Amino acid sequence: MPPRPVLSDDEVEQERDARGRLRALDTKLRALQSKRTELIAEMRKLSSEQKALYDRRQAPQEEVQRLYDEHGQLGHRVAELRTQREVARRSLDDSVIALRELKLTFAPGERLRPDQIRREIAELEHRQQTRALPIDEENALIAHLRQRHKDLKAAEAQTEVVANHEQQRKEAEARVAAARAEIERLATEATNARAARDAKMAEVRAKLVSAGALVAELRAKGKARADAMARIDGVSREMDDLEREGRRLVGELRARRDEARRTVREYAPARRRPAASMVDATADAQLQELLKRGKITLGG
């Protein structure tokens, strides 16, 4: 039977107290380890959710940039159409002025076509033949007929000039009509471009609201993850403190083991003094028993 170490009552009490403290440390460490594992799982879950939110955020941001570029292009188009419309308005003003000036260059006689004069002559002759007129009126009618015959000859001589003037007038009026049509076309296109630009801006605002909500959610997840990391650090520090306390207690137990070993060696009778290996084995067995009873899981 191996010899028992020589321990005082105080040392026995210290051993018992140390075992109780080690059991308490072990229980607390297990609880902290479980809590740390849960916090790490929570932190990883938050990290995964952050990554998913970040990936979701990229698409709205790219869509916002695309819509914003299109909005800018439509804005440039509206400005271009405004400039083109001002040019068209000046062109219309010039065309109207040119038409008025062209009409002023035509002599009144040139505006009458030969067929118009012939109809007037026929009406005058029919009046002369079908009505009994006083001599003065008839003489005036005859004089007027003579003048219209002269006008007819002059008009027939200037048929080409009149036709040329008529062509110029038509061309001038066509330019006025084209200028007005161009202004209306540009006004309609500008209205449509402004409506499209405003619609793009509405889409941009909607996408920004969506992206803002994602950013807010990202920030919330980031804060929650930072809080989880802080709690993990706190638990880790608490575990480090407990492990240091456990190592200190184990050190004390080992110191008592060594002291018991020296006591056995020094005070045992020479003839009954156990061999050094037996003393060491006895002391080690006692410490192992203490550790076993105390459920020590810390390394020393």
Side-chain angles (χ1 to χ4, degrees), residues 33-213:
Q33 181 63 44
S34 177
K35 183 177 180 181
R36 185 174 182 272
T37 300
E38 293 175 359
L39 287 171
I40 290 174
E42 180 183 353
M43 184 269 294
R44 289 175 177 170
K45 178 175 177 291
L46 289 169
S47 296
S48 177
E49 291 173 352
Q50 268 190 305
K51 177 63 168 58
L53 286 171
Y54 181 80
D55 293 341
R56 285 173 54 197
R57 180 188 174 192
Q58 298 308 303
Q61 284 184 329
E62 293 173 359
E63 183 70 7
V64 165
Q65 186 59 48
R66 183 185 66 79
L67 291 172
Y68 191 75
D69 291 342
E70 292 178 0
H71 175 270
Q73 293 172 1
L74 287 169
H76 291 313
R77 181 56 181 161
V78 169
E80 291 174 357
L81 289 170
R82 187 182 300 113
T83 301
Q84 293 177 13
R85 188 171 58 183
E86 291 301 320
V87 172
R89 283 174 176 170
R90 289 195 294 270
S91 177
L92 173 61
D93 293 340
D94 294 342
S95 298
V96 170
I97 292 172
L99 176 61
R100 290 174 179 172
E101 291 177 347
L102 181 64
K103 288 181 177 180
L104 291 175
T105 61
F106 297 162
E110 294 178 357
R111 298 177 188 173
L112 295 176
R113 293 178 298 180
D115 56 343
Q116 292 176 325
I117 300 175
R118 291 192 190 96
R119 285 196 298 271
E120 184 179 351
I121 290 174
E123 291 174 358
L124 292 173
E125 289 177 346
H126 178 72
R127 181 180 176 187
Q128 181 186 22
Q129 294 170 2
T130 57
R131 295 184 183 180
L133 300 173
I135 190 64
D136 294 339
E137 291 185 15
E138 186 172 359
N139 290 337
L141 179 61
I142 293 171
H144 186 56
L145 276 170
R146 290 174 181 170
Q147 181 61 44
R148 296 310 288 162
H149 278 291
K150 292 180 181 178
D151 293 339
L152 176 61
K153 291 181 181 179
E156 288 174 345
Q158 295 184 354
T159 299
E160 184 176 351
V161 174
V162 172
N164 184 46
H165 286 178
E166 182 67 13
Q167 182 63 29
Q168 291 180 28
R169 181 185 64 79
K170 289 181 179 180
E171 291 176 355
E173 290 176 347
R175 284 193 292 272
V176 170
R180 285 177 177 153
E182 179 66 6
I183 289 175
E184 292 178 358
R185 184 190 70 80
L186 291 172
T188 300
E189 188 173 351
T191 299
N192 294 336
R194 282 194 297 270
R197 181 194 61 185
D198 295 342
K200 290 296 179 184
M201 180 52 67
E203 290 185 60
V204 168
R205 292 193 184 99
K207 293 295 182 181
L208 286 176
V209 169
S210 176

Side-chain angles (χ1 to χ4, degrees), residues 2-5 7 15 250 253-262 264-265 275-293 296:
R4 297 178 61 83
L7 294 175
E15 294 290 341
V250 170
L253 288 173
R254 286 181 174 172
R256 291 191 189 94
R257 179 195 63 179
D258 294 340
E259 183 64 25
R261 181 183 300 157
R262 286 193 298 271
V264 171
R265 287 177 179 174
S277 60
M278 185 177 295
V279 174
D280 291 342
T282 300
D284 288 339
Q286 287 188 340
L287 179 58
Q288 291 303 321
E289 183 65 19
L290 286 172
L291 297 179
K292 181 179 180 182
R293 291 177 183 176
I296 298 173

Side-chain angles (χ1 to χ4, degrees), residues 212-223:
L214 284 176
V215 169
E217 193 172 354
L218 265 173
R219 289 174 179 170
K221 293 293 182 184
K223 184 178 183 302

